[in-house]
Amino acid sequence: MAADGQTAVLDTAWAQIPHSREATAGIGSFTRSRVERIISLVAGGLGSLIVGVQAFLTALGPSDERPGWHEGLMIAVFGSLGIMILACVIGRGVRLAAGAFALVYMLALAVWPIATAGIAPQSLDEPWIWYLVNLATLAAVLAFPFPLQIGWTILAPVLFGLVRLVQGGFAAEYWIAVSLDVSFALILGGVILTLGWLFRSVAVNVDETRARAVSSYARAAAADAAEQERVAVAALMHDSVLAALIAAERATTPRERTLAAAMAREALTRLANTEQDAHEGTDEPRDVQQLANDIEAAARELGVDIDVQRDIAAGAPPLPGRVARALSLAATQAVANALQHAGGAGLGVALSAADGRVRVDVHDAGEGFDLDAVPDDRLGIRASIVARVAAVGGKADLETGVHGTSVHLSWQEGVA
């Protein structure tokens, strides 16, 4: 029963956090999956589309490649780029498509000297393939592990610079222009790499912190549930089982034996229904007048007739069922204590309800007792009264002295 209660609390705690298919696929991927989606959509989709259009328009102009190479390279490079952009937009197959473009682009750079062999560059202006250097870095950030991302960030600009120098025959006028291009590509690629790493690191930290917070809350809630269940079981044992055993032992008249048998049946029923009634009944609303009637009926079962003094404001709202049940049982236990320890002298019960607040007072004219001197294993007050009322968000106060004992039970709507 305790395990079931803790499981239910864990489920409740976890349900407070929004979840998605990506988040439940692996522990701690809630924020990371969304960061990945943002990177792929904004950078891989929109950013790549803008740069790709610029490169495509440039490629439509005069080209440096030999006949037959230009069209083939454009189809391979821009085809794979288009597939990557589409994958980033729809959010499916991003890594595969981005990895394919990164590889195709590097292959295109590798064959660029062959495609341009024997053709002198028309100018120092960058060819169309230059505009896609940093898109290869972005593709690596989307597709590859971090070490490969670093490699692509460095390799793509350096390889472009090398093949561009090969195309220009290592002429002196190309060195400065190519060096500037390579430096710019390295800096921009480093920014792209750093931003990707930074966003992902923050996302991972958020996920880990969130997971620790949920785990901590779940442990605390489970401990609280276990404590409340312990209180409920202790109160049940004291109220029903021990009381029935004591009554049976002391029964000397037919009426007392009948009462003991009824108490035993009640104890067995409550024990059988413990798992279904772990919180002292359902939350079906109970009228305050009915609460007073329940206390009177319970007192009669204990062998004493009590008229509960009622001061119930007109229109007093009903109580949650578990609250009414807890107040009724706690008041009944206070009556039982007064009968057992004070002989029922001056016994009286008063109930008041107004403005969402309910108060039950049980008092007697006995000799009182020292609450601190009560042994820890005596549960009549600690579990059956104080802890039971506290478990439903209420409060129980005791005043005892030579002029008697008063038990004050209170519950305020909206106060837990």
Side-chain angles (χ1 to χ4, degrees), residues 315-375:
L319 298 173
R322 60 190 179 90
V323 174
R325 178 71 169 163
L327 292 175
S328 174
L329 290 173
T332 302
Q333 182 59 45
V335 171
N337 288 347
L339 292 175
Q340 181 178 359
H341 302 292
L347 178 60
V349 181
L351 185 150
S352 61
D355 300 326
R357 178 182 175 85
V358 178
R359 180 184 175 98
V360 180
D361 296 310
V362 181
H363 58 84
D364 63 56
E367 298 179 354
F369 62 95
D370 183 1
L371 181 60
D372 294 333
V374 177

Side-chain angles (χ1 to χ4, degrees), residues 70-136:
H70 181 67
E71 292 78 8
L73 288 175
M74 284 188 62
I75 292 173
V77 174
F78 288 107
S80 59
L81 176 60
I83 294 174
M84 184 188 82
I85 293 173
L86 180 61
C88 290
V89 171
I90 65 177
R92 294 184 179 275
V94 174
R95 288 191 174 184
L96 180 62
F101 170 72
L103 292 173
V104 168
Y105 181 80
M106 296 297 283
L107 290 175
L109 280 181
V111 302
W112 188 261
I114 302 175
T116 59
I119 300 178
Q122 298 180 8
S123 68
L124 293 178
D125 295 336
E126 297 85 357
W128 63 268
I129 201 170
W130 148 257
Y131 296 96
L132 304 177
V133 171
N134 288 124
L135 288 191

